[in-house]
Amino acid sequence: MPSMIAIRGTASFRAAAMFRPRSVVLMADPAAPEAAIIARNLAAGGFKGRLYAIGLPAEGLIPAASVEALPEAPDLAVLCLPPALLEPAMAQLAARGCLAAVVPGSAPDLAAISARTGVRAFGQGSFGLCVPSIGLNASLAHIAPAPGKLALVTQSSALARTVLDWAAAESVGFSHVIGIGGNATIGFAMALDWLARDVATGAVLLDIRRIRNRRAFVSAARAVARTRPVVAIRAGGRTADHSGIGDCVMEAALRRAGVLRVSTLDDVLSAAETLARVRPRLGGGPDSARGDRIAIVTNGIGLGQLAADAVLSGGGRLAQLSPEALAAFEMLLPEGWRPGNPLSLGPATGPRIAEAATMLAALPEVDAVVAVHAPAPEEAGDVAAEAMIAAARTGGQRSAPVFVAWTGQATAGRQRQAMAQAGLAVFPTPEAAVRGALHLARDRRNRAAAAELPSREVLELAPDRTAVRRILEAARAGFRRALTEEEALGVLAAYGLPTVPGRLAAGPQEAADAAAMLGFPVVLKILSPDLRHKSEVGGVAVGLSSTAAVKAEAEAMLARVTARRPDARIEGFLVQRQAARALELRMRLGDDPMFGPWIGFGQGGTAADLAEDEAHDLPPLNLTLAGQLIGRSRTARLMGGWRDHAPVNQAAVADALVRLSQIAVDFPEIETLTVNPLFADSLGVLAVDAHLTLRPEGECGVLAIPPYPAELARPWRTRSGEVLEVRPIRPEDAAAHAEAFRKLDPEDVRWRFFSPLKEMAPTLVARLTQIDYDREIAFVAVRRAPDGGEETVGVSRLIRDPGEPASAEFAVIVLKAMKGQGLGRHLMERLFEWGRANGVREVLGHVLADNAPMLAFVRSLGFTLKRSAEEEEVMEARLVL
């Protein structure tokens, strides 16, 4: 090997070289334990490209003396080398133009080596990479994965082998098996970005231990989940964080991305079985939105009841069958039996289960069917299994999916295998089949929630950021990371959140004077930076109704607290006007090592921690997301009112959560902020107590989801003198975006979307309005209506290529009534400005060859044009910024 000096080549990394290589080189030390396994798998995989080996004689691989001696620059390298030899090997590869690698073994400095050489790698400890459709098996697999539509992205080699072993028995195939390993240079984001564009991938399984780039992960996961199911498991979440907060925050992050989180290996395999074989039915009325109305058919009453119990305990619903539907099943039942759900056909009726399952699947009130079969005497079990296979083949996309529970083993095992090979979702127990059906329902709800179109309502905030800055600077000047309660409430007040009136008092007499000014009754609190929970040491008194009572309590409190905590620094008292009776809530801003700032909401008061009622989400929040967060807490049921308690103003609570979210966006130096209690009643909310801590000097939190770039909004004047607002698009623009589309000429629609769309589907509207502001930008030109509403009159968009972020594709469209005003040019110039600021060097676009106005427009902007090599009717426009 040559010297350790890292040498960068002139090539750039290409995702296709990693995931669709035409040539692969194995560079191996024969003593490396992984080398022989990977060499054997490479040779046996039937790879359609060329395979080379350096350092290890391997049958089926073309030997080469060195990287320089290879007849071509390989696309992908697999490095089974000692850590000391990795950098020189990667330097040689970079010099030849190979920048994609897999590192199965130890590589503690892989990130630094990658930065120096430019070679990006899966590892350290990567399971490897399998792409069965091209015969690539550069992995440590003990079983070669078959081609299929399931993608597995994992950090655990043990889990990968387990899933592959299960899949071989269940006849489940894979589009990709990707071993992330230590996630040092290439992680989940790049893998998910590739899978999002891969038409052969129908569903994705994720095994997550560590996320290196939280923003890139959430964005890429969301891109995949928009078009296919994604299921994730995280082992060790509770072990790493005994409080469970980190686990809850991960679930919140996955939920925002539309990913289904599961907790056990059984759930992973059940989800894999479901997602590899089953798709939800198309269409359905409003009651089908949850996707969890399950019908059960069985040849054994007991097994049917077990399935029904599993549906209800899992949060699903037993489908309510109409009288007409029930009447149709009477001919399948023994004499004297009555139809219901579960529908029990009686023993020795195996073949009839398939017929009944098909009939149930066709009912509009059914979202999924669980068909449960038990072995029966004098029954031809093989015939029953064949009937189930035949029935499954007759179901269309508008039929509900069927989950088969084929119980037993001695005879049923062989029959289950036959059904699995035929593509049925088949399970060994009723509970497992129900779990599969509920996974599908949860996935449907998760993805729908992630793409939910919010209302037009935007909470327009006008916080006093200068006041907050002064408060935080005062704490820093005093070398304090913890703010006083008065300071913390001041931060909330600066963001428009109602706070209880209060005054500081140096001693007992001053506290009594402050109480007289505020009015009675009052609450008295000790002030100390060393007392996080003042009530635990007798530092809070309520219901004080006279100056004498306040003075006496202040003296007693001072003595009480000093006796219990002699080390605590006492800085006086806080006197507050006592709020009226209300529901006590708590909202919190915290920080997670993996996903950054999070928001928690739930029951408040002194017993909040014991109640364990807290729902979590990630900032930024809008009103729709805040409402969903409230709904996930148990406290939401109390907010509807009970007995003599009036319903709480939930809109005011959602408003408070959005304001807390904006504090996290505007002041990333805040580490924690707790509001407890937040009083809530029918009139609104009132923050009574708050605690805020700052991060160490120089540290800032990084949100997993980029916030709305409000600073990019600007007014712009048309040639006719009308003033429009040009700003980044936001989710609340969904309705206006759809309305603008309806106003477009059909020809403009064809030119923009390359097809004659008549209406934008909600999923497309969500995709166009819910964007990742780190990866793309869309500017909308907005006209204000006299009633305060907004009309979108033009849109421009620039989307960066995840694999090559210096390149981005543009799109622009302007309503016919606004053409000739210079708006299109201005919208494009805003794109160029954003692109230059974010490292975009080249802007690309595709224009239909008959779109003469757009071709002339892009020429005037400096684009060069050439005909597309792939599509004769398309012109490629290119501009170097």
Side-chain angles (χ1 to χ4, degrees):
M1 294 281 184
S3 70
M4 291 287 290
I5 298 175
I7 303 173
R8 280 182 174 270
T10 58
S12 59
F13 177 86
R14 296 180 301 111
M18 173 68 78
F19 299 108
R20 203 82 181 172
R22 294 163 299 183
S23 57
V24 179
V25 60
L26 171 63
M27 300 180 70
D29 180 340
E34 305 89 2
I37 300 171
I38 291 181
R40 184 169 60 248
N41 284 342
L42 278 170
F47 181 55
K48 296 180 173 63
R50 294 166 298 284
L51 297 172
Y52 302 100
I54 298 174
L56 175 74
E59 185 177 350
L61 278 64
I62 303 169
S66 65
V67 174
E68 292 84 355
L70 290 171
E72 62 181 318
D75 285 331
L76 173 65
V78 183
L79 306 178
C80 298
L81 297 170
L85 299 181
L86 280 173
E87 184 157 0
M90 292 170 73
Q92 293 175 41
L93 290 167
R96 283 297 306 269
C98 176
L99 300 179
V102 173
V103 180
S106 175
D109 297 323
L110 185 58
I113 295 171
S114 177
R116 289 192 292 267
T117 62
V119 177
R120 305 179 69 178
F122 285 125
Q124 62 175 337
S126 170
F127 175 73
L129 178 65
C130 302
V131 186
S133 62
I134 61 173
L136 178 64
N137 184 1
S139 79
L140 297 172
H142 66 298
I143 296 176
K149 289 189 169 293
L150 188 65
L152 172 64
V153 185
T154 177
Q155 290 190 270
S156 167
S157 292
L159 187 139
R161 289 191 294 270
T162 299
V163 172
L164 291 182
D165 203 287
W166 164 87
E170 296 293 320
S171 301
V172 171
F174 295 85
S175 67
H176 298 76
V177 178
I178 302 171
I180 299 294
N183 194 8
T185 69
I186 298 180
F188 287 95
M190 180 170 289
L192 291 172
D193 280 330
W194 177 265
L195 295 175
R197 303 191 298 271
D198 181 54
V199 295
T201 297
V204 180
L205 293 181
L206 298 178
D207 158 48
I208 302 171
R209 301 289 186 277
R210 169 181 173 264
I211 299 298
R212 181 168 48 86
N213 186 325
R214 61 187 64 149
R215 280 197 178 181
F217 170 81
V218 173
S219 178
R222 189 171 191 175
V224 181
R226 281 193 178 105
T227 55
R228 67 213 79 191
V230 183
V231 176
I233 186 171
R234 179 194 186 191
R238 287 281 179 175
T239 307
D241 175 14
H242 296 292
S243 71
I245 292 294
D247 219 39
C248 294
V249 173
M250 169 170 272
E251 186 153 347
L254 295 174
R255 185 189 307 111
R256 283 289 285 273
V259 174
L260 173 64
R261 163 78 185 281
V262 297
S263 302
T264 68
L265 183 59
D266 279 347
D267 283 333
V268 167
L269 299 181
S270 175
E273 177 78 19
T274 299
L275 301 179
R277 306 183 191 279
V278 174
R279 294 292 177 270
R281 76 190 311 167
L282 297 177
D287 200 39
S288 69
R290 285 172 55 182
D292 63 350
R293 299 171 302 168
I294 298 175
I296 301 165
V297 58
T298 178
N299 67 342
I301 295 175
L303 291 181
Q305 290 173 336
L306 286 175
D309 288 345
V311 169
L312 298 177
S313 63
R317 297 176 290 173
L318 293 172
Q320 299 296 311
L321 306 182
S322 67
E324 296 78 11
L326 292 173
F329 290 104
E330 290 183 354
M331 64 180 180
L332 298 177
L333 299 178
E335 187 175 351
W337 288 45
R338 297 188 60 80
N341 187 16
L343 178 65
S344 180
L345 304 180
T349 57
R352 290 188 179 182
I353 292 180
E355 182 181 355
T358 302
M359 294 170 63
L360 287 168
L363 298 176
E365 62 263 39
V366 173
D367 298 318
V369 177
V370 174
V372 185
H373 174 273
E378 301 182 2
E379 178 198 61
D382 292 344
V383 174
E386 286 297 329
M388 187 63 69
I389 293 171
R393 289 171 177 160
T394 63
Q397 287 186 313
R398 295 196 174 275
S399 292
V402 177
F403 298 80
V404 179
W406 212 260
T407 65
Q409 183 58 40
T411 59
R414 182 185 69 256
Q415 295 156 9
R416 275 200 307 273
Q417 187 173 21
M419 285 186 278
Q421 290 173 347
L424 275 68
V426 59
F427 304 84
T429 66
E431 294 85 354
V434 169
R435 191 161 56 237
L438 294 179
H439 281 151
L440 192 69
R442 284 181 56 203
D443 172 70
R444 177 176 180 170
R445 292 198 300 273
N446 264 24
R447 294 166 64 203
E452 182 177 349
L453 300 178
S455 68
R456 292 175 182 262
E457 184 180 4
V458 176
L459 182 59
E460 299 288 355
L461 301 179
D464 188 347
R465 296 183 177 89
T466 302
V468 175
R469 180 61 60 197
R470 283 198 301 265
I471 293 172
L472 302 189
E473 288 175 351
R476 293 286 194 199
F479 303 100
R480 293 183 290 119
R481 290 178 55 197
L483 274 63
T484 66
E485 181 180 335
E486 182 194 30
E487 290 171 329
L489 288 172
V491 170
L492 298 176
Y495 272 76
L497 206 156
T499 58
V500 64
R503 288 179 176 271
L504 294 177
Q509 183 59 54
E510 290 84 356
D513 295 341
M517 297 178 67
L518 289 169
F520 296 99
V522 298
V523 177
L524 182 68
K525 300 176 181 179
I526 200 78
L527 278 183
S528 170
D530 302 318
L531 298 175
R532 175 69 178 86
H533 300 290
K534 298 177 287 291
S535 59
E536 293 179 353
V537 293
V540 180
V542 300
L544 303 177
S545 56
S546 68
T547 55
V550 172
K551 183 178 180 182
E553 176 57 34
E555 292 170 344
M557 182 181 292
L558 192 60
R560 187 166 58 241
V561 172
T562 302
R564 294 180 183 179
R565 285 289 305 276
D567 60 313
R569 293 166 291 170
I570 307 300
E571 298 179 346
F573 301 92
L574 177 63
V575 185
Q576 295 175 314
R577 180 71 182 269
Q578 183 162 317
R581 177 188 180 189
L583 180 64
E584 293 188 8
L585 306 173
R586 180 177 73 174
M587 58 182 191
R588 295 200 291 168
L589 171 66
D591 191 78
D592 176 66
M594 190 177 296
F595 285 100
W598 52 264
I599 290 175
F601 172 81
Q603 178 179 326
T606 56
D609 288 331
L610 297 177
E612 295 185 347
D613 171 31
E614 187 168 56
H616 298 84
D617 210 326
L618 304 182
L621 298 180
N622 57 25
L623 290 171
T624 297
L625 292 170
Q628 293 172 357
L629 174 60
I630 294 168
R632 289 193 298 272
S633 71
R634 293 198 302 273
T635 301
R637 290 177 289 180
L638 299 178
M639 294 173 68
W642 80 101
R643 294 185 181 175
D644 60 336
H645 291 70
V648 165
N649 184 340
Q650 294 199 33
V653 179
D655 179 292
L657 285 166
V658 173
R659 294 179 189 275
L660 178 65
S661 168
Q662 193 60 44
I663 292 173
V665 171
D666 292 344
F667 292 95
E669 60 265 48
I670 294 176
E671 185 172 53
T672 66
L673 175 54
T674 300
V675 183
N676 183 26
L678 177 72
F679 282 180
D681 58 19
S682 60
L683 299 178
V685 298
L686 186 68
V688 176
D689 200 349
H691 181 78
L692 187 154
T693 60
L694 298 173
R695 299 175 189 274
E697 189 79 44
E699 290 187 11
C700 285
V702 177
L703 303 183
I705 300 171
Y708 179 72
E711 69 279 3
L712 298 181
R714 298 178 203 158
W716 179 77
R717 189 179 298 275
T718 69
R719 289 170 181 163
S720 63
E722 181 182 5
V723 177
L724 306 175
E725 183 182 29
V726 177
R727 58 166 174 78
I729 202 166
R730 56 192 176 200
E732 293 85 353
D733 289 319
H737 210 69
E739 289 170 4
F741 175 86
R742 297 186 194 105
K743 296 176 183 178
L744 292 172
D745 287 343
E747 190 74 342
D748 284 339
V749 172
R750 184 180 70 84
W751 281 340
R752 167 61 180 88
F753 294 98
F754 286 31
S755 63
L757 291 179
K758 294 184 178 179
E759 185 73 21
M760 278 203 294
T763 52
L764 179 57
V765 176
R767 167 66 190 88
L768 295 176
T769 56
Q770 299 175 19
I771 67 173
D772 179 342
Y773 298 108
D774 280 353
R775 291 187 173 208
E776 63 180 290
I777 195 67
F779 287 103
V780 289
V782 175
R783 171 187 286 151
R784 286 276 185 181
D787 62 358
E790 292 185 342
E791 178 191 6
T792 297
V793 296
V795 186
S796 64
R797 190 176 303 273
L798 194 64
I799 304 175
R800 300 168 77 174
D801 183 343
E804 181 49 65
S807 178
E809 185 167 354
F810 81 90
V812 62
I813 195 165
V814 172
L815 293 188
K816 185 175 182 179
M818 294 300 300
K819 292 181 179 180
Q821 296 293 318
L823 179 57
R825 179 175 291 271
H826 178 73
L827 288 171
M828 289 294 290
E829 288 171 349
R830 293 297 305 272
L831 294 184
F832 300 157
E833 178 185 334
W834 182 89
R836 291 187 185 98
N838 287 274
V840 175
R841 296 193 297 270
E842 184 178 57
V843 176
L844 309 173
H846 295 86
V847 184
L848 287 175
D850 65 345
N851 189 351
M854 179 59 75
L855 293 174
F857 174 63
V858 296
R859 281 195 188 97
S860 72
L861 290 170
F863 282 82
T864 59
L865 293 167
K866 71 173 185 177
R867 195 168 295 277
S868 170
E870 288 81 22
E871 299 175 276
E872 179 68 21
E873 69 277 13
V874 173
M875 301 293 289
E876 293 180 353
R878 187 180 303 267
L879 175 69
V880 177
L881 292 182

